[in-house]
Amino acid sequence: MSGLEETSNDLLKVKRDQELDADADEELEDDFLVDSTRYLFYRERKEWADLEPVPQDDGPNPVVKIAYSEKFSDVFDYFRALLKTDERSERALALTAEAIELNAANYTVWHYRRVLLQSLSKDLREEMRYITDIIEEQPKNYQVWHHRRMVVEWLNDPSKELDFIADILSQDAKNYHAWQHRQWVIQEYKLWDNELEFVETLLEEDVRNNSAWNQRHFVISQTTGFSDPVVVEREIQYCLNQIKKAPHNESAWNYLKGMLQDRGLSTQPGLLERVQELKETHCSPYLLAFLFDCYEDALENSTEEEQKGTLEMALEICQLLAEEKDTIRREYWRFLGRSLKKKYGNFVEPTADAQEPPASVPGHQESS
Amino acid sequence: MAEEESHLEEFEQIDFLRDRHVRFFRRTLQVLPERYASLETTRLTIIFFALSGLDVLDALDVIDRNTMIDWIYSLQVMPTEDESNLSRCGFRGSSHIGIPYSMKGPGVFHPYDSGHVAMTYTGLCSLLILGDDLSRVNKKACLAGLRALQLEDGSFYAVPEGSENDIRFIYCAASICYILDDWSGMDIEKAIDYIRGSLTYDNGFGQGAGRESHGGWTYCAIASLCLMGRLEEALSQRELDRIRRWCVMRQQNGFHGRPNKPVDTCYSFWVGATLELLNVFQYTNFDKNRSFILSTQDWLVGGFAKWPDSHPDPLHAYLGLCGLSLIGEPDLRKVHPALNITQRAFEHLQQLQQTWRDSSDGGCSGQH
C-alpha cells in the first residue's frame, strides 16, 4: 500500500512510524538494559482485570478495514469497555490520553474525556497545558481546537489564547483553525484592542497573507466600522501602499473592492484616478478587474450620454484582460464584455462577435 | 477529441490512467494500514469516495453490492424500543464505539452511540450508488436526529454530543433532506441566514460569519442553496455575479481554495462544481485545469494527490476524478454538482422519490 497517505497531519504519521509495535517491543526488551519494564497491554494489567474488553465488530465483510496493531486494538478495546458502562474514574481519564495519542481525530474519545474532566473535577489549567501540547503537534485537527475552546469556556479565561494562537500562526500563518479560534476568542471576550497591530505585523511579514487581510476587515468592521470617511481613506491609503510594494496581490485588491463595493466603487472621489495612475507602473489583472468594476458601477449610475465613453473603456479593459493580462480567464472576460454590451450597448453598432451564450446564463438580467 | 489531443502535445502528454484508479479505489475498500487510524471515525466517507469514484469510472461491477449495503446499514443508529434515542439517530462513521454488528433494529441503548451528520450524508449517498432503495433507512429517526443538530443561528453540529458547528454540516443536512425528500429535518430559513452571514467582503463564503472566504465553504454554501431550491431567492443577481468573480479568480492553472494559496486538486471540484452551479464553469480554462489535475496523478498506485509529487489519498483521488468529469474527460460519468454523486446515481434517486410520492399513503415524503 505504499504511496497511500492519510488525510491528516504528517506529524501523526511520523509519531506512528516511531511507535513500537509488538514485535519491536520484544526485540528491544532484550537490548533494554537501563529500563526493564516492557509495555503491558491493558489486558495484562491487574488493575484492569475487572473490565471485559470490547472489540470492534465490523461483521463478516468489513469495508475499509484499518489494520491495527495489537497495542492499538488493546487500548481501544478497553476504551470501548469504559464507554459501555460510562465509567467515571481516573484510570478512564488516563486511558483517554493514550487513545488520543493513537488517534487524536476520534471525537468520541475527546467527548468522553470532557465528561470525565467534569465528573472528576479535574484541574482545567493542567488540561490547558495538555491541549496546548497536542495542538502544537497537530494544529490542523478539528477536535483539538474544539476541545481547547470548551476548556477556555469552562475556565472563562482567555488570557493565554492570543499568544498561543500567535505561536501557532508563526508556524503556519494561514492555519484556518487558528484564525477561527482567534476570531471566536476576540469576539467572545472583547479582545479587540491590539488586534489591528497584530494584523499589521503579519502583513509586514507577508503582504499576501489573505487570512491576515481577512482579519483586518474583521477587526475594523467590528470596531470602528467602515462608515467613517476618515477610516475609509486611511484604509484606501493602506491598500494602495501595499499594492505599490507588491502589485500582484489579489488580497489587497479584494480588500479595497470589498470595502467600497456596496457604496459604489465609482462614487469614491479620486479613487478611479489613483488607480488609473497605478495602471502605468503597477499593473496586474486585479487592478484591471478593479477598473472594470469601477466602470461597470459608473454605467449603472450615469446618463446615456456618459455611458458610451464608459462602456468603451470597460470593453477595452475586458479585451486587454482576455487577450493579454489575464488570459487564463479569457472566456470569462469575453463573457463579461458581451454581457455589458448587451446591457448598455443599444446605441453602439453591434460588432461581429463570438456566439452569444444561451439566454439562460445569468448576468443578462436587469440589475437588482 | 483529436484536436484537443494535439493541443495537449504542447504540454507534457499525460495520460489518464483509468485502470490504476480503479485499482486504487478497490484497494481502499479492502484494508488500510494503521497509519490511517485517524480515518477510523470517518470510514463511511472513505467508502463514499471509493464507491463514487468507481461509479464515475463506471467500474462498480467489481463490487459485491449486497455485502457492502449490509455493512453500511450496520452503521445506522437504530431507535431503541422506547424511541428515547431518536434525537441521536443517523449513521455512524464506523463501528468504533463497539456496538455489535447488526443490520436491523431495534437499537441497543448505549450512552455514547449516536450518528454523525456527514456519515448520514455519505451513508445515504453510498447506498444510492450501490442501487439500494433506502427502504431500510429509518427516515423518521434520521430526520429527528438531524433536527437535534441545528443551532439557533442556523448552523449544525456534527453530533448531538456537540462539536464545532459550521457551514459544512449545513451542506450535509441539506443533502440529507434532499435525498429523503423531506425538509422537516431542518429550519431552512435559519440555515439560509447562516449561509448569507458567511458571505465575505471579498464575495466568497467562509466557514461562518467573519471568517476567510474559502473554496470548500463556498461550495457548501452554493450547493446547499441549490439543493434547497433557493439560490436566486437568497442571493441577489449582483451578489451572484460577485461570487462568480471570486470563484473564477481561484483558477491559477488548477484551482486553489483561497487567494494567494497554492493550488490543490480537490478545488478543481469544490470551485469547479460551484462555477458549474452558477453557470459559468464553461468560461474557465479546461486545458490548464486538466494538466494540473493529471500532474497530481500517481502513475504507480493510482489516485490523485493534492499536489504533484505527493502521496495520493482517497479524497483527492475522488475529487480529482470529479474535477476531470466536470471538464468532460472521456469515459467518465457526469457528476451532479450539488449532490456530488453521478448523474446515474442521481437518476436512481429520482426514480425512488417518484415511487415514494406515488405510494398511496404519501410514504415518508412528508411536507414539501
Side-chain angles (χ1 to χ4, degrees):
Chain A
M1 296 297 275
S2 68
L4 282 177
E5 186 183 66
E6 70 219 337
T7 53
S8 76
N9 199 284
D10 273 344
L11 273 169
L12 187 61
K13 178 174 182 293
V14 169
K15 267 183 82 67
R16 197 148 300 119
D17 288 342
Q18 292 168 345
E19 216 143 53
L20 305 168
D21 61 24
D23 289 337
D25 255 335
E26 279 158 27
E27 273 176 22
L28 268 165
E29 196 186 286
D30 297 331
D31 299 328
F32 236 174
L33 300 172
V34 178
D35 185 344
S36 59
T37 56
R38 75 170 176 86
Y39 179 82
L40 277 180
F41 295 120
Y42 280 84
R43 63 173 188 258
E44 297 172 300
R45 301 183 196 186
K46 297 196 298 297
E47 60 284 11
W48 288 87
D50 60 301
L51 212 50
E52 186 67 35
V54 177
Q56 209 168 342
D57 184 1
D58 273 317
N61 300 294
V63 190
V64 187
K65 189 169 172 60
I66 299 173
Y68 292 116
S69 64
E70 240 188 304
K71 173 176 173 175
F72 199 113
S73 304
D74 176 68
V75 170
F76 273 91
D77 286 350
Y78 277 82
F79 170 69
R80 284 182 274 272
L82 291 168
L83 272 192
K84 192 169 169 183
T85 58
D86 198 5
E87 179 175 312
R88 310 283 176 94
S89 66
E90 286 292 338
R91 71 174 181 177
L93 185 67
L95 189 144
T96 62
E98 269 217 64
I100 282 163
E101 208 179 316
L102 292 171
N103 180 9
N106 188 319
Y107 59 84
T108 309
V109 178
W110 284 107
H111 169 66
Y112 181 54
R113 185 177 175 87
R114 283 191 289 275
V115 167
L116 291 168
L117 288 170
Q118 299 205 292
S119 230
L120 306 171
S121 303
K122 299 301 292 184
D123 178 356
L124 294 177
R125 304 222 171 263
E126 204 182 304
E127 189 67 6
M128 278 298 288
R129 287 191 285 277
Y130 171 71
I131 195 61
T132 296
D133 288 344
I134 305 257
I135 295 176
E136 292 277 356
E137 287 168 21
Q138 305 185 54
K140 295 206 174 173
N141 165 317
Y142 279 98
Q143 288 70 38
V144 300
W145 287 98
H146 177 68
H147 188 76
R148 187 185 182 95
R149 175 169 157 165
M150 296 305 295
V151 179
V152 168
E153 279 182 1
W154 290 342
L155 282 170
N156 201 33
D157 176 10
S159 60
K160 295 192 163 29
E161 297 316 281
L162 295 182
D163 282 345
F164 169 70
I165 300 162
D167 184 62
I168 297 290
L169 289 174
S170 72
Q171 296 161 50
D172 174 0
K174 302 181 184 183
N175 182 324
Y176 204 94
H177 304 270
W179 282 110
Q180 188 162 304
H181 187 75
R182 195 173 182 90
Q183 286 195 351
W184 169 73
V185 166
I186 288 174
Q187 204 150 23
E188 186 74 14
Y189 297 98
K190 309 202 188 332
L191 301 174
W192 303 99
D193 288 355
N194 301 313
E195 191 62 4
L196 192 55
E197 194 186 316
F198 177 71
V199 165
E200 294 208 352
T201 312
L202 286 184
L203 286 175
E204 240 151 86
E205 285 167 25
D206 177 9
V207 73
R208 293 188 180 86
N209 184 336
N210 196 68
S211 309
W213 282 100
N214 181 76
Q215 190 75 344
R216 188 180 184 94
H217 191 276
F218 172 73
V219 172
I220 294 176
S221 61
Q222 303 270 346
T223 52
T224 59
F226 287 99
S227 345
D228 182 352
V230 172
V231 171
V232 174
E233 179 51 41
R234 182 196 76 204
E235 291 302 295
I236 292 175
Q237 198 53 56
Y238 183 81
C239 282
L240 296 179
N241 286 344
Q242 304 316 316
I243 286 162
K244 283 177 195 149
K245 284 190 229 165
H248 200 88
N249 182 2
E250 189 189 348
S251 301
W253 285 105
N254 284 357
Y255 185 90
L256 184 62
K257 176 175 147 188
M259 180 177 44
L260 302 170
Q261 68 187 359
D262 284 335
R263 65 194 76 193
L265 290 178
S266 62
T267 64
Q268 188 67 27
L271 180 61
L272 184 62
E273 290 74 16
R274 285 154 95 177
V275 175
Q276 278 165 336
E277 252 180 58
L278 274 179
K279 178 167 173 277
E280 306 315 312
T281 47
H282 297 80
C283 199
S284 70
Y286 319 113
L287 182 149
L288 295 171
F290 186 87
L291 279 180
F292 174 85
D293 292 331
C294 287
Y295 296 140
E296 187 177 25
D297 183 64
L299 282 170
E300 276 182 36
N301 302 305
S302 36
T303 64
E304 245 190 66
E305 275 162 28
E306 294 165 331
Q307 274 178 3
K308 190 171 174 198
T310 310
L311 178 62
E312 264 172 44
M313 288 194 290
L315 293 177
E316 258 172 45
I317 299 265
C318 275
Q319 186 159 21
L320 184 58
L321 282 163
E323 305 305 323
E324 198 184 317
K325 297 289 189 181
D326 196 24
T327 56
I328 195 169
R329 273 167 278 278
R330 167 176 302 144
E331 297 309 320
Y332 173 74
W333 293 117
R334 285 178 176 169
F335 160 63
L336 284 196
R338 286 194 302 273
S339 308
L340 214 59
K341 231 188 294 191
K342 187 164 178 181
K343 195 165 162 183
Y344 295 104
N346 300 319
F347 43 78
V348 173
E349 282 300 307
T351 50
D353 198 5
Q355 309 288 7
E356 281 296 325
S360 62
V361 176
H364 288 209
Q365 326 301 354
E366 321 80 57
S367 64
S368 52
Chain B
M1 286 302 145
E3 276 173 352
E4 203 174 81
E5 278 161 17
S6 63
H7 181 55
L8 278 167
E9 271 160 45
E10 291 171 20
F11 307 93
E12 203 184 308
Q13 173 80 307
I14 311 176
D15 287 325
F16 172 65
L17 303 169
R18 180 188 180 276
D19 290 341
R20 297 265 180 211
H21 301 306
V22 172
R23 289 209 289 255
F24 179 91
F25 289 124
R26 286 171 68 183
R27 280 201 309 273
T28 302
L29 286 170
Q30 290 158 11
V31 181
L32 296 180
E34 187 180 284
R35 66 173 188 276
Y36 290 83
S38 63
L39 301 181
E40 175 62 47
T41 56
T42 60
R43 278 163 63 198
L44 191 43
T45 66
I46 308 299
I47 278 119
F48 165 72
F49 295 143
L51 287 178
S52 202
L54 287 169
D55 193 9
V56 173
L57 290 164
D58 192 5
L60 278 173
D61 49 306
V62 300
I63 298 300
D64 181 349
R65 289 168 194 252
N66 290 327
T67 56
M68 208 160 285
I69 288 170
D70 284 347
W71 185 85
I72 295 171
Y73 274 118
S74 79
L75 296 175
Q76 187 174 200
V77 178
M78 301 304 290
T80 51
E81 297 255 13
D82 62 359
E83 294 199 333
S84 56
N85 68 336
L86 272 191
S87 63
R88 297 167 60 195
C89 287
F91 281 73
R92 309 173 189 101
S94 80
S95 54
H96 72 276
I97 300 275
I99 305 288
Y101 181 86
S102 168
M103 293 176 282
K104 49 187 172 28
V108 169
F109 172 75
H110 187 295
Y112 291 93
D113 188 29
S114 57
H116 183 299
V117 77
M119 309 308 143
T120 306
Y121 156 60
T122 49
L124 290 174
C125 287
S126 299
L127 289 169
L128 288 174
I129 292 165
L130 292 169
D132 185 70
D133 64 359
L134 305 189
S135 56
R136 288 189 269 167
V137 174
N138 188 320
K139 290 166 188 151
K140 172 178 150 194
C142 281
L143 291 167
L146 194 53
R147 278 191 293 275
L149 298 174
Q150 190 168 24
L151 285 84
E152 260 310 297
D153 67 4
S155 67
F156 280 75
Y157 288 128
V159 293
E161 291 81 15
S163 69
E164 68 278 14
N165 59 290
D166 55 60
I167 207 169
R168 292 173 293 158
F169 307 133
I170 294 181
Y171 172 72
C172 294
S175 299
I176 293 164
C177 289
Y178 186 92
I179 290 170
L180 297 180
D181 200 13
D182 189 333
W183 291 88
S184 72
M186 64 192 292
D187 182 324
I188 294 183
E189 303 310 321
K190 288 193 177 150
I192 291 178
D193 281 344
Y194 189 91
I195 292 173
R196 279 199 56 86
S198 304
L199 184 57
T200 62
Y201 66 89
D202 60 348
N203 307 310
F205 290 87
Q207 212 170 22
R211 300 176 210 164
E212 190 184 0
S213 56
H214 180 290
W217 320 143
T218 302
Y219 173 80
C220 288
I222 298 295
S224 295
L225 291 174
C226 287
L227 291 171
M228 293 168 186
R230 303 284 288 267
L231 180 70
E232 305 213 346
E233 241 183 83
L235 296 165
S236 69
Q237 280 307 318
R238 187 195 304 269
E239 284 170 329
L240 287 169
D241 283 339
R242 288 173 177 170
I243 293 162
R244 289 181 179 102
R245 172 76 63 83
W246 185 90
C247 292
V248 157
M249 295 306 289
R250 291 316 110 232
Q251 184 166 26
Q252 310 300 296
N253 37 59
F255 286 79
H256 61 197
R258 297 182 259 170
N260 288 319
K261 287 277 279 179
V263 289
D264 172 335
T265 298
C266 64
Y267 295 108
S268 287
F269 178 75
W270 298 130
V271 180
T274 306
L275 287 165
E276 178 65 25
L277 289 168
L278 296 173
N279 293 314
V280 289
F281 183 67
Q282 60 189 296
Y283 303 121
T284 61
N285 186 312
F286 285 15
D287 281 342
K288 294 212 160 133
N289 190 7
R290 181 182 191 274
S291 291
F292 175 73
I293 298 171
L294 287 177
S295 76
T296 70
Q297 178 178 240
D298 189 310
W299 60 269
L300 185 61
V301 301
F304 295 89
K306 63 192 299 191
W307 297 326
D309 302 319
S310 306
H311 293 306
D313 63 73
L315 178 141
H316 289 90
Y318 173 59
L319 294 177
L321 270 190
C322 291
L324 289 173
S325 167
L326 283 175
I327 62 177
E329 182 75 18
D331 304 323
L332 292 184
R333 284 195 166 125
K334 283 274 159 218
V335 173
H336 185 290
L339 218 39
N340 195 5
I341 55 179
T342 58
Q343 273 298 129
R344 180 205 67 81
F346 176 69
E347 278 154 29
H348 169 61
L349 172 64
Q350 285 182 309
Q351 280 165 10
L352 275 184
Q353 291 180 337
Q354 192 56 52
T355 323
W356 298 340
R357 277 180 222 128
D358 290 345
S359 70
S360 53
D361 63 353
C364 305
S365 43
Q367 60 208 174
H368 200 45

